[in-house]
Amino acid sequence: MFAWIPGVGEKPFSIMDNEPLTLGILERGEFTKKFSTLNIGDEFYIRGPYGKGVEVAYGQNVVLVGGGCGLAGVYLLAKMLSRKAHVISLLGSKDKLHLPYINEIKKYSEVRIATEDGSLGVKGLVTQLFDSTIEKGSYFFNCGPKRMIEAILPLELKYSSNEKIFSSVDYITRCGVGICGSCSDKSGLRTCVEGPFMNP
């Protein structure tokens, strides 16, 4: 989804929750600094979301893997999928300060955490959270940086088939409608049109 502040600019953000609409925003540049100063009643505009959904059959096991900016999308996925599936969330971050919505995610899924500095959960990377308690044939939804997703795909393929693994890579998104191609993977699939979740 894109947020636009007239006279400032427009940026894509992950939707953390749909009721009420909650965006995942890291304050980094001019736009996000301005966005964080908005008050109740100030105006900004949104467009999107873009892409298409993925169906999961009732009664399935689902594993959500989130890291980096991808953590912002895990809560809404857990909330939606928990209505018909058993959900486990594997979350990785550099430290406990970069793990948003943890208590909310726990309402809808079993949560396992890895932090690089050991400030919460296991000290290490999200790849260390894979173990024998993950059911064979589970669905996997990955949200995060390309490097993280490349590291976890071989692990997931030990538990499931390619058709049940979906990844949303943190690519730069500019237009949101498939014209610019900045969010395309090596095969030309675009997260804003064919995604956000695509098979590897």
Side-chain angles (χ1 to χ4, degrees), residues 72-135:
V74 172
Y75 168 76
L76 186 55
L77 271 175
K79 180 179 172 182
M80 293 172 19
L81 293 172
S82 69
R83 297 174 187 152
K84 59 180 177 179
H86 173 252
V87 181
I88 298 173
S89 297
L90 309 180
L91 309 176
S93 178
K94 63 181 181 179
D95 57 45
K96 66 181 180 181
L97 299 176
H98 290 84
L99 287 163
Y101 256 48
I102 292 300
N103 291 330
E104 289 81 359
I105 295 170
K106 287 179 180 177
K107 294 175 189 174
Y108 299 103
S109 77
E110 176 188 332
V111 175
R112 301 177 192 172
I113 297 170
T115 52
E116 291 176 31
D117 69 354
S119 57
L120 191 62
V122 173
K123 183 175 183 178
L125 304 174
V126 72
T127 51
Q128 294 170 257
L129 300 175
F130 283 78
D131 62 28
S132 60
T133 62
I134 295 173
E135 296 282 335

Side-chain angles (χ1 to χ4, degrees), residues 133-197:
T133 62
I134 295 173
E135 296 282 335
K136 294 281 185 184
S138 292
Y139 281 84
F140 288 90
F141 289 86
N142 306 311
C143 304
K146 185 178 179 183
R147 196 167 121 200
M148 178 199 84
I149 292 173
E150 287 174 344
I152 60 175
L153 282 175
L155 298 172
E156 292 172 344
L157 287 167
K158 293 178 182 178
Y159 294 92
S160 200
S161 63
N162 220 27
E163 297 77 28
K164 288 187 169 185
I165 300 173
F166 300 90
S167 297
S168 178
V169 180
D170 287 343
Y171 289 123
I172 294 172
T173 303
R174 291 193 174 93
C175 73
V177 292
I179 296 171
C180 73
S182 65
C183 66
S184 64
D185 66 10
K186 61 185 175 188
S187 63
L189 297 175
R190 301 152 298 176
T191 54
C192 67
V193 176
E194 289 85 17
F197 288 97

Side-chain angles (χ1 to χ4, degrees), residues 34-97:
K34 176 65 177 173
F35 202 89
S36 67
T37 65
L38 294 177
N39 295 306
I40 294 174
D42 290 344
E43 290 187 349
F44 72 95
Y45 302 88
I46 59 172
R47 66 180 173 100
Y50 295 98
K52 59 182 183 176
V54 175
E55 285 298 317
V56 173
Y58 186 83
Q60 297 294 308
N61 293 297
V62 174
V63 180
L64 307 177
V65 183
C69 292
L71 288 167
V74 172
Y75 168 76
L76 186 55
L77 271 175
K79 180 179 172 182
M80 293 172 19
L81 293 172
S82 69
R83 297 174 187 152
K84 59 180 177 179
H86 173 252
V87 181
I88 298 173
S89 297
L90 309 180
L91 309 176
S93 178
K94 63 181 181 179
D95 57 45
K96 66 181 180 181
L97 299 176

